[in-house]
Amino acid sequence: MATAIKKIGKCDIIIGGRQAIDGDTAQVGPQVAEKLGLTQITYAEEILKVADGRITVKRHIDGGIETVEGPLPIVITVNGSAAPCRPRNAKLVQKYKHAKTVTEKQQGNLDYTDLYDNRDYLNLAEWSVADVNGDLAQCGLSGSPTKVKSIQNIVFQAKESKTISGSDHDVENLIVELLANHTIG
């Protein structure tokens, strides 16, 4: 990814997900930042401000919420608790709905072949490792600096539960109890 970003050229903000679903190591964004020599902000929830070559981001950390600032260019990984993306522009979705890569076109079943000659924006670029001058040994499982030996699903079960009405009195009592047993605070 870092070599592809280098090929693209100047980028001010590179945004990625927090982690992949295969190994859950949350290493791709930080690795990209390291390989590009860029600052990184992880667990981002909201971009608050971009001005004067700097970005201000609200991020979610174990202790709560933190607001941080960094210089552009920067790599940001987004937390799952971030607001959803705005809805897609229906006109743009329609404009690009037949866009395809070379590989997709080679698979056949093209109903709109004349469109690709007349509308260049429907021809999507597709890069291989060689196209971005990448090192195949640095890609995939062989290029990963970490190895996931096993993944376990852990299900926590409540040993006790309490139902409250939601009244001010019940909520206040619950807060006092949670503070007293150091669950919060």
Side-chain angles (χ1 to χ4, degrees), residues 11-167:
C11 298
D12 286 329
I13 303 171
I14 300 161
I15 299 175
R18 180 176 62 104
Q19 66 191 57
I21 60 170
D22 56 355
D24 284 343
T25 56
Q27 67 183 359
V28 175
Q31 267 190 34
V32 167
E34 180 68 23
K35 290 178 188 263
L36 294 174
L38 299 177
T39 302
Q40 62 181 299
I41 296 176
T42 56
Y43 303 107
E45 285 193 334
E46 182 180 355
I47 295 175
L48 301 173
K49 179 180 171 187
V50 179
D52 303 321
R54 298 195 67 75
I55 188 167
T56 306
V57 175
K58 181 173 81 171
R59 63 190 296 256
H60 184 90
I61 57 173
D62 282 339
I65 302 296
E66 177 179 59
T67 301
V68 294
E69 185 179 289
L72 299 177
I74 196 163
V75 175
I76 296 174
T77 60
V78 179
N79 205 17
S81 58
C85 295
R86 69 173 184 240
R88 292 186 239 166
N89 179 307
K91 286 183 181 180
L92 285 178
V93 170
Q94 286 300 104
K95 179 179 178 179
Y96 291 99
K97 78 177 189 175
H98 297 295
K100 299 210 180 310
T101 65
V102 172
T103 302
E104 289 174 312
K105 288 189 243 176
Q106 289 171 348
Q107 293 171 353
N109 300 334
L110 296 178
D111 297 332
Y112 304 94
T113 52
D114 60 318
L115 288 179
Y116 301 105
D117 295 329
N118 300 327
R119 300 179 186 169
D120 192 48
Y121 60 86
L122 294 178
N123 298 300
L124 300 178
E126 182 176 27
W127 293 340
S128 68
V129 173
D131 292 328
V132 296
N133 298 319
D135 179 0
L136 197 54
Q138 295 281 319
C139 297
L141 185 60
S142 63
S144 178
T146 61
K147 303 293 183 246
V148 177
K149 292 185 179 182
S150 69
I151 297 175
Q152 288 183 318
N153 287 331
I154 299 172
V155 178
F156 293 102
Q157 295 181 352
K159 293 181 181 173
E160 61 182 74
S161 65
K162 180 183 286 192
T163 303
I164 63 171
S165 70
S167 69

